[in-house]
Amino acid sequence: MKEPIRIGIVGYGNLGRGVEQAVRQNPDLELAAVFTRRPPDQIHSQAQVLPVEKSWDFRDKIDVMVLCGSSANDLPEQGPLFASQFNTVDSYDLHARIPEYFERIDAAAKEGGNLSLIAAGWDPGLFSLARVLFNSILPKGKTYTFWGKGVSQGHSVAVRRLPGVKQAVQYTVPVPETIERIRKGETPELTAREQHQRICYVVPESGADRAAIETAIKTMPGYFADYDTTVYFITEEEFAASHTGMPHGGFVITTGTTGGGYRQQAELRLELANNPEFTGSVLAACARAVYRLRREGKTGACTMFDLPVGYLSPQSPEELRAKML
Amino acid sequence: MKEPIRIGIVGYGNLGRGVEQAVRQNPDLELAAVFTRRPPDQIHSQAQVLPVEKSWDFRDKIDVMVLCGSSANDLPEQGPLFASQFNTVDSYDLHARIPEYFERIDAAAKEGGNLSLIAAGWDPGLFSLARVLFNSILPKGKTYTFWGKGVSQGHSVAVRRLPGVKQAVQYTVPVPETIERIRKGETPELTAREQHQRICYVVPESGADRAAIETAIKTMPGYFADYDTTVYFITEEEFAASHTGMPHGGFVITTGTTGGGYRQQAELRLELANNPEFTGSVLAACARAVYRLRREGKTGACTMFDLPVGYLSPQSPEELRAKML
C-alpha cells in the first residue's frame, strides 16, 4: 500500500464537510487537518481542527490543500495566498472573472513551485468538460446547458431580503417541454424564459401582504422578471420538513450534424440529492490529479480542461486500460 | 492562421469516410492523403488516394495518421507498423486484448519517437471516460453501460451465416424498464437478459423454413441464447428502405452514495444517427490532441484516459477558460 495523499481543508461550511466525507470514501486519500477562521472547538470534524493561521506549519505535512471558501468573499484573497504555499484545489465559480483569477493564481503558484487547480466542481467542472468534449467532436453543433431542479442560493437570498419574508428558497427548474424539444434534436435559439422556470417557497411573516410579496418577486429585475415564476406560501413546518435539502443537477446537451447530414446527440446529466457533497467528491478526485501532475513537474494554475481523466482515478493506468476502457 | 494539422487516413471503409468528413468540418485539420489496399481509382475521396505502400513517402508530410482498419484483421499488424513511422490514432475495440495491443504499440511508437493513441471512439472511448470520471467521483457507486438502439455487426453476421438467410440485421436494444429502474436510482445486479434485448430483421431465401431460422437464431449460444430475441421476417425492399442505416448509441449511468447517505447520479447518453461518422469525428478530435501532446515531447502509446480534455478542442486554453468553463 502506497502512502496516502495528505489532504488539508480550508473552510468548513457545507463544501468543506463534503470534501471531508469524500476523502473518507477514498482509501488513497487522508485528511491531515481542517483549518478554520471560527473557534476550532465549534467545528465537528473527525480530523484535527486548527485556526487558519496555523496552516503554514503544515507545508511539509499536506500534499494538496482544498480551499472551500466562497468565490465572492474568500477565494480572491485566500486563493493566491495558499497557492504560494501549497498545491491547491478550489471551486471558484464566478465564470466572468475566471480569466483574471487564473492569472493571479498562476503567478502565485509558479512563485511557490506549486500546482493549483481552479474552478473545479460540476459547473464549472464536469459540465465544462462536457461542453468542450461535445463541441470538439461535433463542431457543427449547438450546445445547451440546463440547471436544476436545484436550489439557487443567490435567488433564495434575493427573496429572503424582501419585506414580510421570514424564510424562502428558490428552485431553478428546466422547462420540461424545452428539454423534450432539445432531446428530439431541435436546435432553437432559446430565451431565458423558455429554458428555465423559477419556483419559490416562501414563509411569510405573520400579517404580511402576500400579494405584494408575490409581485415583488415576479417583477424583480435580473433575478425573476425574465422568467416564469411561481410563488408558493408555506408554513415554517413545511419549510423545515421539505425545503432544507440541497438537491441540484442539470444537463449539457449537444446536437450536431456530421458530414453526411446525420444528427448526432450527446448528453451529460447529473441528478444530485446533495450538491455540496457531490461537489466535495469532485474536489477530492481533483486533489488526487493535482498531486500526480505536480509530481510530474507541472506548476502554476490549471483547470479541469488540463487534467488527463485517468489522473482522477485511484486506479493505475494499467488497471484502467484492463478494466475500464 | 496557424498551419493546419496534416492528417492521413489508412483504410477507406465507413470509418475512413467518417474521418474524412470530420476533418472537413474542422478548419485546423487538413486531409493530406488517403491510403488504401484497394485500387486507388475505386476510392471516391476528395483527397489524393494512394496505395498503402506509398505511405512511407509521407513521413514528413503527415502529422497524424488515423488507422481505420478492423481491430480483428488489420490493426494487430498495421498498428505497430504505422506506430513506428507516424503518430497514430486508432479505434482498436477488442476490450480483452487492449493491454497486449497497448504494449506492442507502445514499444513500436517509442522506437520511432512517435505518439500513438489506441482504442479511441465512443466505446471504447467516450464511454470509457465516463466510466472513469463517474467512478472516480463516486467511489461508492455502481456503474451500468447500456448499448443501443444500434446495429451490432457481429450479431448481424452471425444471423446472415444461417442457412436460408439472404440478408439480416441485428439491433441491440436496452430494456426500457431496466433503464427506468436504473435512472430511478436502483442498483440491481442485472443479467444480460434484463439489460439488453435483441431484435433481428431477416430477409429469408425464397422457400426457406422460417420457423427453423427463428429457432436457430434464438438458441444460438454466445450470441442470442442469453437474451430475449425477437425475429421479424421482411422483404428485400423493406430491408433496403429501413435497415441500411448505422444508428447506435447508449448510456453510461453511475448511481453512487456520498458520505451523508445522499444518492447522486451521473449519466452520459449518446444517440447517434450514424455510428461511423460519429466515431470518425471522435478520431479527428483525438488526432488534434495527439499532435499537441507529441509536440510537448510525449511518445509511446496512450489512450483517451491520458488526454487532457482541452487538447481535443481547436480553441486555445485561454479561449476555453473564458468561454467554456
Side-chain angles (χ1 to χ4, degrees):
Chain A
M1 182 76 189
K2 286 189 298 187
E3 290 291 309
I5 302 169
R6 300 165 301 174
I7 306 292
I9 293 174
V10 180
Y12 202 73
N14 289 325
L15 180 58
R17 275 193 296 277
V19 173
E20 172 165 4
Q21 289 175 308
V23 166
R24 297 198 186 288
Q25 289 193 328
N26 286 284
D28 68 324
L29 306 180
E30 180 182 86
L31 184 55
V34 169
F35 300 95
T36 178
R37 286 176 303 194
R38 287 182 277 169
D41 57 4
Q42 288 181 14
I43 303 288
H44 301 290
S45 163
Q46 292 180 47
Q48 60 177 324
V49 182
L50 296 163
V52 71
E53 302 78 41
K54 293 279 183 194
S55 54
W56 271 210
D57 302 343
F58 279 73
R59 271 177 288 191
D60 296 332
K61 296 172 193 137
I62 284 175
D63 297 308
V64 184
M65 198 71 106
V66 184
L67 309 181
C68 299
S70 105
S71 298
N73 303 318
D74 303 317
L75 294 177
E77 192 184 335
Q78 242 176 32
L81 192 62
F82 277 87
S84 73
Q85 306 292 329
F86 294 94
N87 300 312
T88 64
V89 171
D90 73 43
S91 62
Y92 190 85
D93 65 357
L94 302 178
H95 292 257
R97 294 187 166 181
I98 283 174
E100 175 203 335
Y101 184 70
F102 183 91
E103 293 305 328
R104 293 179 56 221
I105 296 285
D106 191 51
K110 278 191 178 135
E111 200 187 308
N114 299 313
L115 180 61
S116 289
L117 176 66
I118 69 158
W122 63 271
D123 197 358
L126 297 181
F127 274 18
S128 321
L129 289 184
R131 286 188 285 263
V132 169
L133 201 51
F134 298 166
N135 273 288
S136 301
I137 294 164
L138 298 171
K140 307 293 181 201
K142 193 159 168 60
T143 297
Y144 299 88
T145 302
F146 292 87
W147 296 278
K149 180 189 173 180
V151 175
S152 162
Q153 291 302 340
H155 288 78
S156 299
V157 167
V159 174
R160 286 201 285 269
R161 282 187 185 141
L162 291 173
V165 172
K166 190 166 186 181
Q167 186 54 279
V169 63
Q170 192 267 188
Y171 296 95
T172 304
V173 184
V175 176
E177 297 77 18
T178 305
I179 292 197
E180 207 176 305
R181 285 175 66 194
I182 303 301
R183 285 211 177 114
K184 273 185 190 155
E186 292 183 41
T187 52
E189 294 297 325
L190 296 174
T191 62
R193 190 182 302 273
E194 288 171 313
Q195 206 165 347
H196 294 96
Q197 57 196 25
R198 301 196 176 279
I199 300 179
C200 302
Y201 292 87
V202 177
V203 180
E205 305 275 8
S206 89
D209 180 344
R210 297 183 177 201
I213 291 172
E214 185 165 341
T215 302
I217 293 172
K218 290 185 171 177
T219 57
M220 198 186 295
Y223 286 87
F224 293 98
D226 296 334
Y227 298 86
D228 287 337
T229 302
T230 310
V231 179
Y232 297 104
F233 290 96
I234 61 174
T235 64
E236 274 193 281
E237 292 69 33
E238 280 176 279
F239 190 90
S242 306
H243 297 288
T244 55
M246 287 169 282
H248 220 310
F251 318 78
V252 174
I253 306 183
T254 299
T255 301
T257 306
T258 49
Y262 291 97
R263 198 166 66 197
Q264 322 270 15
Q265 191 170 81
E267 173 178 348
L268 174 66
R269 181 179 66 83
L270 295 177
E271 192 174 328
L272 311 175
N274 185 295
N275 183 3
E277 283 194 14
F278 185 80
T279 303
S281 297
V282 177
L283 299 193
C286 284
R288 178 186 290 128
V290 163
Y291 174 76
R292 291 181 177 166
L293 277 174
R294 178 64 193 87
R295 297 227 314 186
E296 289 182 1
K298 193 171 166 71
T299 60
C302 66
T303 72
M304 288 181 76
F305 297 145
D306 303 305
L307 303 181
V309 171
Y311 280 37
L312 293 163
S313 171
Q315 296 186 65
S316 71
E318 293 75 18
E319 285 175 310
L320 291 179
R321 287 194 295 269
K323 295 176 192 168
M324 307 291 276
L325 201 61
Chain B
M1 182 75 188
K2 286 189 296 188
E3 290 291 308
I5 301 169
R6 299 164 302 174
I7 306 291
I9 293 174
V10 181
Y12 202 73
N14 289 325
L15 180 57
R17 274 193 295 277
V19 173
E20 171 165 3
Q21 289 176 308
V23 166
R24 296 197 187 289
Q25 288 192 328
N26 286 285
D28 67 324
L29 306 180
E30 180 181 87
L31 184 56
V34 169
F35 301 95
T36 178
R37 287 176 302 196
R38 288 182 276 168
D41 57 4
Q42 288 181 11
I43 303 288
H44 300 291
S45 163
Q46 291 180 47
Q48 60 177 325
V49 182
L50 297 162
V52 71
E53 302 78 39
K54 294 280 183 194
S55 53
W56 273 210
D57 302 343
F58 278 73
R59 273 177 288 191
D60 297 330
K61 296 172 193 137
I62 284 175
D63 297 307
V64 184
M65 197 71 106
V66 183
L67 309 181
C68 299
S70 105
S71 298
N73 303 319
D74 303 317
L75 293 177
E77 192 184 336
Q78 242 176 32
L81 192 61
F82 277 86
S84 73
Q85 307 292 328
F86 294 93
N87 300 313
T88 64
V89 171
D90 73 43
S91 62
Y92 189 84
D93 66 357
L94 302 178
H95 291 257
R97 295 189 166 179
I98 283 174
E100 174 203 334
Y101 183 70
F102 183 92
E103 293 305 328
R104 293 180 55 220
I105 295 285
D106 191 51
K110 278 190 177 136
E111 199 187 307
N114 299 312
L115 180 62
S116 288
L117 176 67
I118 69 159
W122 62 272
D123 198 357
L126 296 182
F127 274 17
S128 320
L129 289 183
R131 286 187 286 263
V132 169
L133 201 52
F134 297 167
N135 274 287
S136 302
I137 294 164
L138 297 171
K140 306 294 180 200
K142 194 160 167 62
T143 296
Y144 300 88
T145 301
F146 292 88
W147 296 277
K149 180 188 174 180
V151 175
S152 161
Q153 292 300 341
H155 288 77
S156 299
V157 167
V159 175
R160 285 200 286 268
R161 282 186 185 141
L162 292 173
V165 172
K166 191 166 186 183
Q167 185 55 279
V169 64
Q170 192 266 189
Y171 297 95
T172 305
V173 183
V175 176
E177 296 77 17
T178 305
I179 293 196
E180 207 175 307
R181 286 175 66 195
I182 303 301
R183 287 211 177 115
K184 274 185 190 154
E186 293 183 40
T187 53
E189 294 298 323
L190 295 173
T191 63
R193 190 183 302 275
E194 288 171 313
Q195 206 165 346
H196 293 96
Q197 57 196 27
R198 301 196 176 279
I199 300 179
C200 303
Y201 292 87
V202 177
V203 181
E205 305 274 9
S206 89
D209 180 344
R210 296 183 178 202
I213 291 172
E214 184 164 341
T215 302
I217 293 173
K218 290 184 171 178
T219 58
M220 197 186 295
Y223 286 88
F224 294 99
D226 296 335
Y227 297 87
D228 288 338
T229 302
T230 310
V231 178
Y232 297 104
F233 291 96
I234 60 174
T235 64
E236 275 194 279
E237 292 69 33
E238 280 176 280
F239 190 90
S242 305
H243 298 287
T244 55
M246 286 169 284
H248 220 308
F251 318 78
V252 174
I253 306 183
T254 299
T255 301
T257 307
T258 48
Y262 292 97
R263 198 166 67 199
Q264 322 270 16
Q265 191 170 80
E267 173 178 347
L268 174 66
R269 182 180 66 82
L270 295 176
E271 191 174 328
L272 311 175
N274 185 294
N275 182 2
E277 283 194 13
F278 185 80
T279 303
S281 296
V282 177
L283 299 193
C286 285
R288 178 186 291 128
V290 161
Y291 174 76
R292 290 181 178 167
L293 277 174
R294 177 65 194 88
R295 297 225 316 185
E296 290 182 0
K298 193 172 166 71
T299 61
C302 66
T303 71
M304 287 180 77
F305 297 144
D306 304 304
L307 304 181
V309 171
Y311 280 37
L312 293 163
S313 170
Q315 297 186 65
S316 71
E318 292 76 16
E319 285 174 310
L320 291 179
R321 287 195 295 269
K323 295 177 193 166
M324 307 291 275
L325 200 60

